[in-house]
Amino acid sequence: MVTKRRKKGFSPVFWVRRGKRLVRRDCNVTVSGDSVGSNELSELTCSLENGFLNSTPKQREQTFCIVARNRKKKKNSHVVPIFRGMENVRKTNIVDLPEECLVMILSYLGPHEICRVSSICKKFFEASQHPGLWWKADFRFVSLMSTKFVAVDSLEVETIMTNSQRRKLFAMFLVKRKAALRSLEVDFDACEEGEIIVKLIECCNVKNLTSVDMRWWKSWDYLVDGQSVKEVSAFQQILQKLLQLCPGIKSLKCEIDLSGNTARLISQFRSIENLSLVFLRMCRSMYTHIEYGMESSHLETIISSLPNLQHLKIRTRQSVPDDFPGYVVKSAVLKTFDCSWCKCFRIRDLDLPSLHTFEGINSFDFRSYQPCPCLFKLIEKGCPKIQQLNKKKFVVSGLKNFRLNNFQKQQMFICSCPEHAPWRENF
């Protein structure tokens, strides 16, 4: 690079060699609002020769500031030519970010997207190993249809792998990364694959697990003998493991049998706020079984033992015996109760002083040969703060203030007594 001084009052010229020719370049720049004098040209040229472009941005900024301060002492204003190659200085890339920032960026992606991003480079792969990214264990059938987390050929996955194998590989994937789970969703056969979930809970970090959703049965009916007994015991083992290692569960949704052992296990989850239960229907041979005997006190044990329970949802299609008295729903903190679309869910008594929402549409007892208690009377007696009844909101609390006549009560389809369900006599 050759520098040639021109006449007084003109800017200096750079002669750049291109092949065998010298090409003249007239380029000007202003630093911090002040032009740098021509006497500092040799200083900047020397910095260029000493590796100015290879220095850090902070060092380059210091060099420009020194020259600018020297310029303020002089009267003549000249300009400094731009250094050839400054446009090629390497800019900051996303890979240059610290690992904590990359983990924060990856936290906005789903599990399959994280696996795809981890294959870009080593830096992303190391960031994808962070346990906090794998906070959700979704073993449902819909999510397992996409097997991006499994390093297997796609054709082989579609033709050979079963859902059980996919769930096992996903569990091993989470265990290897020591996932910090906060949500667990299960949709599988508890008898055959209960050990997978038990091992997952043991090997992963589940101290912050707050939400559990387990659908471990594929139909409404099951028998006492054979396979059904094994599945109930496998489900109870999962509940015991959750009790030991997950003290902070706040939301529990599962299918349960009506045995006393299952009721006692669920009643020990003291931190539960949202509870959704699906009662599995039993055949008549199961009623005479000692362990699985159906008693109304089991539901009362669950509800009354949970001090933080605020939302309760129940679904059932059970066939209750003829002498079944009904359920007692008693809780001092329960705020919403949903028993809609239930069959033979007979409520004997209600004691819910904090309840403000009750949903019970199409919840009937079809046994016409037995008297059914009036649900409106139970709500008026046991729910003094009720404000919403089957999607109908009222400003003033208390069922008396609703001023509902018999026809309006019949249109709500909430009670099975002869007064509010005259069609019940046809069954």
Side-chain angles (χ1 to χ4, degrees), residues 236-383:
Q236 293 176 354
Q237 289 178 3
I238 297 175
L239 290 180
Q240 291 176 358
K241 191 60 63 176
L242 290 174
L243 280 172
Q244 295 175 4
L245 303 177
C246 311
I249 294 179
K250 296 183 179 180
S251 177
L252 177 62
K253 181 179 179 181
C254 62
E255 298 172 341
I256 65 169
D257 61 295
L258 298 178
S259 62
N261 190 17
T262 301
R264 286 189 294 271
L265 289 174
I266 295 179
S267 63
Q268 296 179 18
F269 290 92
R270 302 297 182 181
S271 59
I272 285 184
E273 298 178 359
N274 301 326
L275 181 62
S276 180
L277 302 177
V278 179
F279 293 168
L280 296 176
R281 190 169 66 177
M282 301 178 295
C283 61
R284 292 187 177 274
S285 61
M286 197 169 187
Y287 299 146
T288 58
H289 202 278
I290 297 176
E291 182 180 358
Y292 299 95
M294 184 176 180
E295 297 182 5
S296 59
S297 60
H298 294 168
L299 180 62
E300 184 179 358
T301 301
I302 295 174
I303 299 176
S304 60
S305 301
L306 302 177
N308 299 320
L309 183 62
Q310 298 183 2
H311 309 282
L312 176 62
K313 185 177 181 179
I314 292 177
R315 293 289 183 271
T316 177
R317 294 291 188 273
Q318 55 185 324
S319 298
V320 297
D322 298 339
D323 57 347
F324 186 72
Y327 296 103
V328 177
V329 184
K330 182 179 180 180
S331 176
V333 296
L334 190 64
K335 296 182 179 180
T336 62
F337 181 43
D338 187 356
C339 59
S340 302
W341 305 100
C342 291
K343 177 184 176 183
C344 295
F345 184 75
R346 172 171 292 191
I347 298 178
R348 184 178 62 188
D349 192 13
L350 285 175
D351 188 6
L352 305 172
S354 301
L355 189 75
H356 59 76
T357 302
F358 186 91
E359 298 291 337
I361 185 171
N362 290 340
S363 178
F364 297 121
D365 187 357
F366 292 99
R367 296 177 299 169
S368 59
Y369 47 84
Q370 289 188 2
C372 184
C374 180
L375 191 57
F376 286 100
K377 293 182 180 180
L378 297 179
I379 295 175
E380 183 178 355
K381 177 183 176 181
C383 307

Side-chain angles (χ1 to χ4, degrees), residues 28 31 104 122-123 157 182 226 282 318 359 388 397:
N28 301 332
V31 180
M104 184 178 297
K122 183 179 179 181
K123 193 71 176 290
V157 171
R182 289 179 290 166
M282 301 178 295
Q318 55 185 324
E359 298 291 337
Q388 181 174 343
S397 60

Side-chain angles (χ1 to χ4, degrees), residues 376 379-381 383-384 386 396-404:
F376 286 100
I379 295 175
E380 183 178 355
K381 177 183 176 181
C383 307
I386 188 72
V396 185
S397 60
L399 190 61
K400 290 183 179 180
N401 300 319
F402 291 2
R403 297 180 181 180
L404 301 174

Side-chain angles (χ1 to χ4, degrees), residues 6 11-14 24-28 81:
R6 301 175 67 180
S11 61
V13 178
F14 272 161
R24 187 177 64 181
R25 294 185 60 184
D26 296 328
C27 299
N28 301 332

